[in-house]
Amino acid sequence: MTSFPDSAPPTADYWSATTASARPRQVTVIGAGIVGLASAAALSRAGHQVTVIDRAAAAGQGASGGNGCQLSYGYVAPLAQPGLPFDVPGLMLSRHGPLHITPRADVRQWRWMWEFLRACSAPVAQRSTLELLALGALSRQETEQWIAGASAEALSFSRSGKLVLYATQSSFDAGRRQAELQAPHGPLQSALPGDGFLAHEPALASFRGAVAGSIYTPDECAIDGLALCRNTEEVLRSRGVVFEYGVTVHGLRREGARVSRLLSSAGDRPVDALVLAGGAGSAALAASAGLRVPVYPLKGYSITVPVRDPAAVPSVSVTDAKRKVVYARIGDRLRVAGFVEIGARDGAVDPRRIEQLQACTQEAFGGAVDIGAAVPWAGLRPATPTSLPIVGRSGGVENLFLNVGHGALGLTLAFGTARRLADAF
């Protein structure tokens, strides 16, 4: 298998990595999650004057603050997979399974689901995987150029690798086929039968005998997503980027082929160039300008747990493929995230989901973590049917740009899609 093309430490400073835009613009970015912040960084680097608007009171208050903290450049399998359509009836009936669908009287949901089911074919899944790998390689390069100027300790950044654990032989075989598909294009990966994962992470002893096999990716990383958002904002402010918090954007006023004004709780304002990077709310804003953006929110959950015994808690990032739960060390805490709910109305915390995450964590690591001090989170992750983000010019509206639909890969792909966005200006 080939080694990751961009795994070496970056040699260029982030701010000198690209040339300036030939036509600097006044750009408004809607969204102060990691995707919006990375967009602002790439646009500022290209010489544009950038203002970031968000309805929250600070950066990273949505999915960016509660995500799984894994930078999974090489584990990019799209959610839409062959065979999944046969599971749909059970996913509707199983209220608390790892993947759950709640049908709604919502045309947007049914249209998205139809496109999602059409994407559940081997050719589409393979194409999506290869495109995500290419985007992941770019994002790794851009992300590491960014964090090279920050404190790894302050960001809880680690380059400790990743293990994906498969409970059954059939799922392990599927994981191995995925690794073989990625081999010419992505990172170095190893298929480890049985308990072979223990050689890389002895702290997973509780999984001994319960795993048919695992896929190990030594170059994968982890980072505190909220800390990265705060660091990015701090650097951008020092470079003249303006931030406006507590501002809700209600809609866009379109005149001909352009968005002329932004309609918000802080009043209407003229627009030169506009970037929608506001997560799940971006589809509604695009619709107010007459555009359909195939993005739908997928709800996820996480807990953040203090670590009592660092030697007994993995430093390697871990994905339990059966339960769709991920574990990532961020300093003296363990982030545990999981579940996909299609059709959730909001980001309210379901206590039963949190109890499931706590039970998984307690079973895996026992007293090595302080489960009683777990901090719960739930939020909406904007996804496309194919899991491929939508990046660049909107098509039909000449000054409207998109950077949306990252799903569970927002932290991983943010700086890569931001680079593509800036290149599209």
Side-chain angles (χ1 to χ4, degrees):
M1 295 186 180
T2 58
S3 60
F4 199 78
D6 295 305
S7 59
T11 57
D13 173 78
Y14 179 84
W15 296 101
S16 62
T18 59
T19 57
S21 170
R23 184 187 168 221
R25 306 176 75 171
Q26 300 284 338
V27 184
T28 302
V29 176
I30 299 178
I34 190 57
V35 173
L37 292 167
S39 299
L43 292 167
S44 176
R45 176 175 63 178
H48 302 289
Q49 297 298 311
V50 183
T51 298
V52 178
I53 298 176
D54 198 289
R55 63 183 178 182
Q61 297 304 293
S64 298
N67 57 42
C69 293
Q70 295 186 357
L71 293 169
S72 297
Y73 305 111
Y75 185 70
V76 293
L79 182 62
Q81 291 289 323
L84 185 60
F86 298 103
D87 298 331
V88 168
L91 296 174
M92 291 182 177
L93 295 173
S94 177
R95 175 64 183 164
H96 294 291
L99 174 58
H100 174 71
I101 301 172
T102 302
R104 303 286 184 191
D106 182 353
V107 173
R108 294 181 307 121
Q109 184 195 36
W110 288 101
R111 186 170 181 179
W112 188 93
M113 281 296 303
W114 170 244
E115 293 172 348
F116 175 78
L117 293 174
R118 290 180 62 192
C120 290
S121 70
V124 174
Q126 290 181 6
R127 285 198 303 270
S128 296
T129 293
L130 298 182
E131 289 186 42
L132 287 168
L133 281 172
L135 184 53
L138 173 63
S139 194
R140 181 180 186 119
Q141 172 183 298
E142 294 287 304
T143 304
E144 296 202 354
Q145 285 173 344
W146 178 269
I147 63 178
S151 164
E153 183 177 358
L155 300 180
S156 297
F157 175 74
S158 63
R159 209 185 300 272
S160 52
K162 177 172 178 170
L163 282 161
V164 183
L165 308 181
Y166 297 95
T168 65
Q169 187 61 46
S170 61
S171 63
F172 177 43
D173 291 342
R176 202 157 36 187
R177 289 193 295 272
Q178 181 74 14
E180 290 169 355
L181 168 67
Q182 296 178 183
H185 313 280
L188 173 69
Q189 293 183 313
S190 303
L192 309 173
D195 294 337
F197 61 91
L198 290 172
H200 299 284
E201 186 47 85
L204 293 172
S206 64
F207 289 87
R208 187 191 304 272
V211 173
S214 57
I215 301 296
Y216 176 57
T217 313
D219 283 341
E220 300 286 57
C221 308
I223 196 168
D224 184 335
L226 183 56
L228 178 60
C229 286
R230 290 170 174 167
N231 161 262
T232 305
E233 179 188 359
E234 180 181 1
V235 174
L236 292 180
R237 282 187 183 276
S238 73
R239 299 189 68 89
V241 174
V242 176
F243 287 83
E244 297 183 20
Y245 290 116
V247 176
T248 300
V249 179
H250 302 302
L252 311 177
R253 179 174 297 163
R254 178 175 171 178
E255 296 180 5
R258 293 178 58 84
V259 172
S260 60
R261 301 190 72 83
L262 193 71
L263 313 179
S264 78
S265 58
D268 298 356
R269 67 182 73 189
V271 171
D272 179 13
L274 180 66
V275 174
L276 295 186
S282 296
L285 289 178
S288 71
L291 295 177
R292 178 181 176 263
V293 176
V295 169
Y296 196 76
L298 308 185
K299 190 172 184 178
Y301 294 81
S302 74
I303 56 175
T304 307
V305 189
V307 173
R308 286 173 168 164
D309 182 359
V313 176
S315 58
V316 172
S317 294
V318 178
T319 294
D320 182 339
K322 178 181 179 180
R323 293 170 171 167
K324 296 193 183 304
V325 172
V326 302
Y327 302 92
R329 278 281 291 279
I330 46 174
D332 59 359
R333 296 161 295 150
L334 181 69
R335 175 65 55 80
V336 186
F339 310 130
V340 177
E341 293 181 357
I342 302 174
R345 295 186 183 276
D346 53 39
V349 173
D350 182 341
R352 290 167 294 187
R353 284 297 201 185
I354 299 303
E355 289 169 4
Q356 285 179 278
L357 289 178
Q358 289 175 320
C360 290
T361 309
Q362 189 76 55
E363 180 182 345
F365 310 117
V369 296
D370 185 359
I371 202 68
V375 177
W377 175 88
L380 302 176
R381 301 168 296 196
T384 64
T386 61
S387 296
L388 290 170
I390 302 170
V391 186
R393 292 183 178 272
S394 59
V397 185
E398 62 185 33
N399 64 334
L400 179 60
F401 298 78
L402 303 173
N403 196 359
V404 297
H406 297 65
L409 292 171
L411 183 63
T412 297
L413 300 179
F415 281 89
T417 60
R419 169 64 182 274
R420 289 190 176 177
L421 172 73
D423 289 346
F425 265 71

